[in-house]
Amino acid sequence: MNTAALYHRPESEFAYLYTQNEVHVRVRAAKEDIKKVTLIYGDPYSWSTSGVGNADNQDTQNVWLSHKKVMQKLATTETSDYFEAKVSVPTKRLDYVFVVEGADGEKIILTDKGVMPYKRALLISKYGAFRLPYFHEVDRFQAPEWAHDRVWYQIFPERFANGDTSNDPENVKAWTDTAPDRQDFYGGDLQGVLDHLDHLSTLGVNGIYFCPVFKASTNHKYDTEDYLAIDPHFGDKKLFKKVIDAAHARGIKVMLDAVFNHIGDTSPQWQDVLENQERSRYKDWFHINSFPVVGDEAVDNAEVSENLSYDTFAFTPHMPKLNTANAEVQAYLLEIAAYWIREFDIDAWRLDVADEVDHAFWKKFRAVCDAAKDDFYILGEVWHSAQPWLVGDEFSAVMNYTYTGAIEDYFLTHKLTLSQMIATLNEQLMLYRKQTSQVMFNVLDSHDTPRVLTVAKGDKDLMRQVEAFTYLQPGVPCIYYGDEFAMTGGMDPDCRKPMVWAAEKQDHAMFAFFKELVAFRKMWARELAESELDWLRADEKSGLIELRRGALSGVFNTGKKAVSYDKRGKVQLSQLTADGKIAPKGFVIFR
Ligand code: CA
C-alpha cells in the first residue's frame, strides 16, 4: 500500500459539518491502491470500564464506545481515489480514525499521529484520533437555500437594452452595429432592463447578475468613480429601486458587482493623491511605492504600463489598487456593502478580482453583509482553487471557471480526453464541501470569455449538448445575456455585442431550448443539489457518457456514430434523431 498517499485533514473539505449534526468525512488514497476503508468513530468522552465494547479500540482497562462505518468510494481523479462516510453524531463531538486495507493485503490505521500498523490500533482511540472537538453551528459553511434553485442571467448593462435614449453617452454606436470596439458606447441602461423583465420571466431565469452599475467612465464600469451613485448613463437610484422591486415581484433575485480591489483613476480619492501627492489625506488608501505618483497621462495614456509608482489591477494605470488593510478604506467599502443591501434590498454581491483582496477584509465584509440581510449570497471572482475563501466566513461560492472549463475543453475544444475531463470535474468537487459545490456559479461564458457558441464553432447542436450536460452538474448555472438567442462573440470586446432584440435576428429554436432547460433545472433543483455525481459509463472510444444524479440519469453521445439506448424512465429533456437514437451531439435525460 502507498501509505504516503493517504491524506486527511480535520475541519476542511475532508471533515466538515454538512447539516447541524451530520458530518462528512473523506480520505484520499492512491488510485486503485485500496480495497477497503473503515471509519472508526465516536464521542471522545464515551468510555466504558465494563470491558464490553468494540475490540478494535480496547486498551488494558477501558473500552472506547466507538462505531464502525465502511466508507464509500466517492470519486476518482487522475492519481487518487476519495472515500467518504456520512455520520450523525448527536453529542456533537467526534473522534475518528481510519482502518485502511490495501489491495495488496496490508492493513494499517491512519490516525492524527500518522500511519500505524493495525495492531497498534488498540490504543489509538485514546491517543491518536482525529478530532472535531465540538460542532459549532456558527462555523458551519452555510449558503442560502434560495441559491440552490437559481438559474442566473448575466446582464452587461451597457449592451442589454437601451430603454431611454435621453441618457445616452455622446456618439453612441447604432444598436445594430455588431462590432463593438473596446471604448464604444451603445446606450444600454436600467430602463432597458425594466422593459425586458418579461423576457427574463418567459425564459424562466430567477436571478440577475448585473455587471457594475456604479458611476464610472468606461462602458464596462469596472473602474468605479463613485460607489454610491448609479451611473448617469444607466439611470438613477429611483429607477434602480424600481428595477429591483419589479425583479423581486417576479421572484428574481438581484446580484450586484462590487469592484473593491481597485478604484477608477477618476475617483476623487485618486485625483486627490495626484494633486497633493504625499500631503494627500488619501495617500494610505493605496499601495504607493514611491512619490511622486504619476497618473496615466505621464505614461502616454498607456492602457498598460509596468513602470508605475503604485500598485494597480494588472498593469492598468487607470485602476489603482485599494489598500483594504487601511481602516478608513475598510470603513468606506464596508458602508458601501451595507448601503446597497439596506437601501435597495439586493440579494447578493459578486466580488471582482476577489482573490487579490486580503482575507481579513473579506471576513469583515461577510459579517457586514450577514448583519444587513439574512440569507445573503456572496460570489467571488476566483479562477483557481478557492478553498481559502470557501471555509464559511468569506464567500458562498466562486465563479466556477475551472469546473466548466473542463467541460468546454472536452466537449467543445477537445483539449482533454473524456477520462481527463471526468478526473478534473471530480477533482474540483473534492476541493470543496458538498454544500459549497451545490451553490458554485457555473458559467460556460461571460463578459470575460468568448461566447459558448463561438467556442463551439457555431455548432448549435453541440452548444445544446454542452449546456444540457452543464445543467445536470452540481452548482448553479448562469446564462450570459443573448446566449438564449444563439449570439456569438470572441474574446472581449466581441463577446459584449448589443443584445439582439430584432425578432428576425433571434434564434427562436435556441430560445425554446433554453426555456425548456431552465424549467428542467428549476424543477429538479433539489435533486441536483442533494444527489451525488455518479459516472455510470465513460467510453473513450465510442464517446458515450452516462451519468446519474439521484433520480435523474443522462446519456450523452460525444462520439461519431448514432447509438441506441435503453429506455429507463420518463424522458425529461433530449436531443434525439427522428427514429429515437442518440446522434453525435445528442443526449437524453431520464427521470
Ligand atoms: Ca440609454
Side-chain angles (χ1 to χ4, degrees), residues 157-158 161-169 172 175 186-192 232-235:
E158 225 281 311
N162 188 353
D164 180 0
T165 51
S166 75
N167 61 17
D168 287 1
V172 289
W175 200 264
Y186 280 83
D189 51 39
L190 291 171
Q191 186 61 47
H233 296 309
F234 289 173

